[in-house]
Amino acid sequence: MLKFEKCKKILQAKGGKYSDEEVKKIQKILYDLATIVDDTQKMKDGEKMGK
């Protein structure tokens, strides 16, 4: 997971203005999305191994 300060730096790199609370929410959404992608890939890999 990206550390808070790194996430904030990336989000504000092109002049974006985000409060700490907004950065935390975006960080959580990105983490949740990555979890979904990872879980989906594991399911696909499991299906391939079962064939």
Side-chain angles (χ1 to χ4, degrees):
M1 178 187 243
L2 280 176
K3 293 187 181 208
F4 174 81
E5 289 302 323
K6 179 72 173 176
C7 190
K8 187 172 184 174
K9 183 177 179 182
I10 290 168
L11 288 169
Q12 295 180 342
K14 294 190 178 186
K17 303 292 182 198
Y18 299 92
S19 69
D20 286 354
E21 192 61 35
E22 289 173 318
V23 173
K24 288 176 187 175
K25 286 179 182 179
I26 292 168
Q27 184 182 30
K28 180 170 179 354
I29 290 167
L30 291 172
Y31 181 78
D32 291 346
L33 181 59
T35 300
I36 292 167
V37 170
D38 186 54
D39 290 349
T40 302
Q41 187 60 49
K42 286 178 184 175
M43 286 191 299
K44 285 183 179 180
D45 291 345
E47 289 174 1
K48 289 179 186 176
M49 294 190 79
K51 289 184 176 180

